[in-house]
PDB file of all heavy atoms in Angstrom:
ATOM      1  N   THR A 184      23.538  29.060-160.173  1.00 95.00           N
ATOM      2  CA  THR A 184      23.211  30.497-160.405  1.00 95.00           C
ATOM      3  C   THR A 184      23.690  30.939-161.770  1.00 95.00           C
ATOM      4  O   THR A 184      24.586  30.334-162.397  1.00 95.00           O
ATOM      5  CB  THR A 184      23.879  31.367-159.299  1.00 95.00           C
ATOM      6  OG1 THR A 184      23.767  32.760-159.611  1.00 95.00           O
ATOM      7  CG2 THR A 184      25.439  31.094-159.199  1.00 95.00           C
ATOM      8  N   LYS A 185      23.069  32.062-162.211  1.00 95.00           N
ATOM      9  CA  LYS A 185      23.582  32.653-163.420  1.00 95.00           C
ATOM     10  C   LYS A 185      24.337  33.960-163.090  1.00 95.00           C
ATOM     11  O   LYS A 185      24.813  34.687-163.997  1.00 95.00           O
ATOM     12  CB  LYS A 185      22.379  33.025-164.348  1.00 95.00           C
ATOM     13  CG  LYS A 185      21.625  31.902-164.857  1.00 95.00           C
ATOM     14  CD  LYS A 185      20.517  32.428-165.837  1.00 95.00           C
ATOM     15  CE  LYS A 185      19.372  32.907-165.008  1.00 95.00           C
ATOM     16  NZ  LYS A 185      18.133  33.286-165.879  1.00 95.00           N
ATOM     17  N   ASP A 186      24.391  34.319-161.817  1.00 92.00           N
ATOM     18  CA  ASP A 186      24.900  35.669-161.405  1.00 92.00           C
ATOM     19  C   ASP A 186      26.381  35.742-161.002  1.00 92.00           C
ATOM     20  O   ASP A 186      27.018  36.690-161.316  1.00 92.00           O
ATOM     21  CB  ASP A 186      24.095  36.201-160.278  1.00 92.00           C
ATOM     22  CG  ASP A 186      22.663  36.428-160.653  1.00 92.00           C
ATOM     23  OD1 ASP A 186      22.473  36.694-161.896  1.00 92.00           O
ATOM     24  OD2 ASP A 186      21.696  36.340-159.865  1.00 92.00           O
ATOM     25  N   PHE A 187      26.973  34.703-160.399  1.00 95.00           N
ATOM     26  CA  PHE A 187      28.362  34.656-159.986  1.00 95.00           C
ATOM     27  C   PHE A 187      28.848  35.931-159.291  1.00 95.00           C
ATOM     28  O   PHE A 187      29.759  36.584-159.813  1.00 95.00           O
ATOM     29  CB  PHE A 187      29.228  34.313-161.242  1.00 95.00           C
ATOM     30  CG  PHE A 187      28.822  33.005-161.913  1.00 95.00           C
ATOM     31  CD1 PHE A 187      27.986  32.950-162.906  1.00 95.00           C
ATOM     32  CD2 PHE A 187      29.361  31.859-161.425  1.00 95.00           C
ATOM     33  CE1 PHE A 187      27.619  31.785-163.546  1.00 95.00           C
ATOM     34  CE2 PHE A 187      29.005  30.660-162.027  1.00 95.00           C
ATOM     35  CZ  PHE A 187      28.169  30.616-163.013  1.00 95.00           C
ATOM     36  N   ILE A 188      28.140  36.246-158.308  1.00 93.00           N
ATOM     37  CA  ILE A 188      28.472  37.416-157.490  1.00 93.00           C
ATOM     38  C   ILE A 188      29.885  37.303-156.874  1.00 93.00           C
ATOM     39  O   ILE A 188      30.277  36.321-156.398  1.00 93.00           O
ATOM     40  CB  ILE A 188      27.411  37.680-156.357  1.00 93.00           C
ATOM     41  CG1 ILE A 188      26.065  38.020-157.005  1.00 93.00           C
ATOM     42  CG2 ILE A 188      27.802  38.824-155.460  1.00 93.00           C
ATOM     43  CD1 ILE A 188      24.912  37.784-156.243  1.00 93.00           C
ATOM     44  N   GLY A 189      30.672  38.367-157.127  1.00 93.00           N
ATOM     45  CA  GLY A 189      32.012  38.362-156.657  1.00 93.00           C
ATOM     46  C   GLY A 189      33.041  37.717-157.533  1.00 93.00           C
ATOM     47  O   GLY A 189      34.247  37.684-157.106  1.00 93.00           O
ATOM     48  N   ALA A 190      32.633  37.147-158.571  1.00 95.00           N
ATOM     49  CA  ALA A 190      33.558  36.368-159.386  1.00 95.00           C
ATOM     50  C   ALA A 190      34.555  37.361-160.015  1.00 95.00           C
ATOM     51  O   ALA A 190      34.266  38.499-160.281  1.00 95.00           O
ATOM     52  CB  ALA A 190      32.783  35.652-160.537  1.00 95.00           C
ATOM     53  N   GLN A 191      35.788  36.821-160.243  1.00 93.00           N
ATOM     54  CA  GLN A 191      36.874  37.629-160.671  1.00 93.00           C
ATOM     55  C   GLN A 191      37.207  37.149-162.140  1.00 93.00           C
ATOM     56  O   GLN A 191      37.038  35.979-162.475  1.00 93.00           O
ATOM     57  CB  GLN A 191      38.083  37.413-159.801  1.00 93.00           C
ATOM     58  CG  GLN A 191      37.942  37.964-158.444  1.00 93.00           C
ATOM     59  CD  GLN A 191      38.207  39.479-158.517  1.00 93.00           C
ATOM     60  OE1 GLN A 191      39.097  39.994-159.037  1.00 93.00           O
ATOM     61  NE2 GLN A 191      37.224  40.208-157.887  1.00 93.00           N
ATOM     62  N   PRO A 192      37.785  38.144-162.818  1.00 93.00           N
ATOM     63  CA  PRO A 192      38.274  37.674-164.255  1.00 93.00           C
ATOM     64  C   PRO A 192      39.588  36.982-164.173  1.00 93.00           C
ATOM     65  O   PRO A 192      39.914  36.309-163.208  1.00 93.00           O
ATOM     66  CB  PRO A 192      38.360  39.082-164.983  1.00 93.00           C
ATOM     67  CG  PRO A 192      38.724  40.027-163.829  1.00 93.00           C
ATOM     68  CD  PRO A 192      38.012  39.511-162.721  1.00 93.00           C
ATOM     69  N   SER A 193      40.429  37.128-165.206  1.00 90.00           N
ATOM     70  CA  SER A 193      41.775  36.472-165.326  1.00 90.00           C
ATOM     71  C   SER A 193      41.623  34.910-165.021  1.00 90.00           C
ATOM     72  O   SER A 193      40.766  34.359-165.591  1.00 90.00           O
ATOM     73  CB  SER A 193      42.756  37.117-164.327  1.00 90.00           C
ATOM     74  OG  SER A 193      42.805  38.448-164.565  1.00 90.00           O
ATOM     75  N   GLN A 194      42.524  34.488-164.133  1.00 91.00           N
ATOM     76  CA  GLN A 194      42.532  32.990-163.950  1.00 91.00           C
ATOM     77  C   GLN A 194      41.304  32.462-163.297  1.00 91.00           C
ATOM     78  O   GLN A 194      41.160  31.256-163.356  1.00 91.00           O
ATOM     79  CB  GLN A 194      43.827  32.696-163.088  1.00 91.00           C
ATOM     80  CG  GLN A 194      43.750  33.052-161.597  1.00 91.00           C
ATOM     81  CD  GLN A 194      44.367  34.445-161.371  1.00 91.00           C
ATOM     82  OE1 GLN A 194      44.105  35.384-162.176  1.00 91.00           O
ATOM     83  NE2 GLN A 194      44.951  34.641-160.235  1.00 91.00           N
ATOM     84  N   TYR A 195      40.411  33.250-162.751  1.00 95.00           N
ATOM     85  CA  TYR A 195      39.193  32.752-162.171  1.00 95.00           C
ATOM     86  C   TYR A 195      38.076  32.519-163.247  1.00 95.00           C
ATOM     87  O   TYR A 195      36.978  32.014-162.898  1.00 95.00           O
ATOM     88  CB  TYR A 195      38.675  33.636-161.062  1.00 95.00           C
ATOM     89  CG  TYR A 195      39.728  33.683-159.918  1.00 95.00           C
ATOM     90  CD1 TYR A 195      40.483  34.850-159.742  1.00 95.00           C
ATOM     91  CD2 TYR A 195      40.016  32.563-159.099  1.00 95.00           C
ATOM     92  CE1 TYR A 195      41.435  34.964-158.707  1.00 95.00           C
ATOM     93  CE2 TYR A 195      40.960  32.634-158.161  1.00 95.00           C
ATOM     94  CZ  TYR A 195      41.681  33.767-157.973  1.00 95.00           C
ATOM     95  OH  TYR A 195      42.644  33.838-156.953  1.00 95.00           O
ATOM     96  N   LEU A 196      38.297  32.908-164.415  1.00 96.00           N
ATOM     97  CA  LEU A 196      37.401  32.734-165.568  1.00 96.00           C
ATOM     98  C   LEU A 196      36.024  33.237-165.392  1.00 96.00           C
ATOM     99  O   LEU A 196      35.070  32.747-165.964  1.00 96.00           O
ATOM    100  CB  LEU A 196      37.383  31.153-165.974  1.00 96.00           C
ATOM    101  CG  LEU A 196      38.710  30.622-166.547  1.00 96.00           C
ATOM    102  CD1 LEU A 196      38.500  29.135-166.898  1.00 96.00           C
ATOM    103  CD2 LEU A 196      39.092  31.376-167.766  1.00 96.00           C
ATOM    104  N   GLY A 197      35.829  34.213-164.418  1.00 96.00           N
ATOM    105  CA  GLY A 197      34.536  34.747-164.211  1.00 96.00           C
ATOM    106  C   GLY A 197      33.682  33.826-163.425  1.00 96.00           C
ATOM    107  O   GLY A 197      32.437  34.027-163.338  1.00 96.00           O
ATOM    108  N   LEU A 198      34.226  32.950-162.649  1.00 97.00           N
ATOM    109  CA  LEU A 198      33.445  31.906-161.931  1.00 97.00           C
ATOM    110  C   LEU A 198      33.478  32.098-160.399  1.00 97.00           C
ATOM    111  O   LEU A 198      32.528  31.995-159.684  1.00 97.00           O
ATOM    112  CB  LEU A 198      33.897  30.511-162.308  1.00 97.00           C
ATOM    113  CG  LEU A 198      33.647  30.085-163.804  1.00 97.00           C
ATOM    114  CD1 LEU A 198      34.296  28.793-164.031  1.00 97.00           C
ATOM    115  CD2 LEU A 198      32.084  29.941-164.007  1.00 97.00           C
ATOM    116  N   VAL A 199      34.729  32.248-159.870  1.00 96.00           N
ATOM    117  CA  VAL A 199      34.871  32.388-158.400  1.00 96.00           C
ATOM    118  C   VAL A 199      35.859  33.516-158.172  1.00 96.00           C
ATOM    119  O   VAL A 199      36.275  34.307-159.026  1.00 96.00           O
ATOM    120  CB  VAL A 199      35.417  31.064-157.877  1.00 96.00           C
ATOM    121  CG1 VAL A 199      34.408  29.904-157.980  1.00 96.00           C
ATOM    122  CG2 VAL A 199      36.733  30.627-158.462  1.00 96.00           C
ATOM    123  N   ASN A 200      36.292  33.661-156.939  1.00 94.00           N
ATOM    124  CA  ASN A 200      37.353  34.546-156.629  1.00 94.00           C
ATOM    125  C   ASN A 200      38.289  33.790-155.635  1.00 94.00           C
ATOM    126  O   ASN A 200      38.045  32.642-155.387  1.00 94.00           O
ATOM    127  CB  ASN A 200      36.818  35.887-156.013  1.00 94.00           C
ATOM    128  CG  ASN A 200      35.976  35.661-154.784  1.00 94.00           C
ATOM    129  OD1 ASN A 200      36.191  34.698-153.996  1.00 94.00           O
ATOM    130  ND2 ASN A 200      35.036  36.523-154.604  1.00 94.00           N
ATOM    131  N   VAL A 201      39.248  34.459-155.055  1.00 91.00           N
ATOM    132  CA  VAL A 201      40.239  33.743-154.249  1.00 91.00           C
ATOM    133  C   VAL A 201      39.595  33.176-153.047  1.00 91.00           C
ATOM    134  O   VAL A 201      39.998  31.983-152.589  1.00 91.00           O
ATOM    135  CB  VAL A 201      41.450  34.756-153.911  1.00 91.00           C
ATOM    136  CG1 VAL A 201      40.997  35.812-152.973  1.00 91.00           C
ATOM    137  CG2 VAL A 201      42.608  33.987-153.309  1.00 91.00           C
ATOM    138  N   THR A 202      38.606  33.749-152.354  1.00 93.00           N
ATOM    139  CA  THR A 202      37.926  33.124-151.230  1.00 93.00           C
ATOM    140  C   THR A 202      36.979  32.043-151.641  1.00 93.00           C
ATOM    141  O   THR A 202      36.811  31.072-150.909  1.00 93.00           O
ATOM    142  CB  THR A 202      37.334  34.203-150.329  1.00 93.00           C
ATOM    143  OG1 THR A 202      36.602  35.152-151.203  1.00 93.00           O
ATOM    144  CG2 THR A 202      38.330  34.818-149.423  1.00 93.00           C
ATOM    145  N   LEU A 203      36.216  32.268-152.694  1.00 95.00           N
ATOM    146  CA  LEU A 203      35.258  31.357-153.171  1.00 95.00           C
ATOM    147  C   LEU A 203      35.871  30.016-153.675  1.00 95.00           C
ATOM    148  O   LEU A 203      35.258  28.937-153.605  1.00 95.00           O
ATOM    149  CB  LEU A 203      34.256  31.872-154.151  1.00 95.00           C
ATOM    150  CG  LEU A 203      33.265  32.863-153.685  1.00 95.00           C
ATOM    151  CD1 LEU A 203      32.498  33.461-154.823  1.00 95.00           C
ATOM    152  CD2 LEU A 203      32.317  32.241-152.688  1.00 95.00           C
ATOM    153  N   ASN A 204      37.072  30.143-154.235  1.00 95.00           N
ATOM    154  CA  ASN A 204      37.698  29.079-154.871  1.00 95.00           C
ATOM    155  C   ASN A 204      37.783  27.879-153.983  1.00 95.00           C
ATOM    156  O   ASN A 204      38.421  27.953-152.890  1.00 95.00           O
ATOM    157  CB  ASN A 204      39.086  29.471-155.392  1.00 95.00           C
ATOM    158  CG  ASN A 204      39.751  28.508-156.279  1.00 95.00           C
ATOM    159  OD1 ASN A 204      39.088  27.664-156.967  1.00 95.00           O
ATOM    160  ND2 ASN A 204      41.113  28.371-156.255  1.00 95.00           N
TER     161      ASN A 204
END
Side-chain angles (χ1 to χ4, degrees):
T184 170
K185 295 182 281 186
D186 294 331
F187 300 95
I188 292 157
Q191 290 284 313
S193 304
Q194 69 269 38
Y195 299 108
L196 295 179
L198 295 169
V199 293
N200 58 32
V201 67
T202 40
L203 288 175
N204 187 29

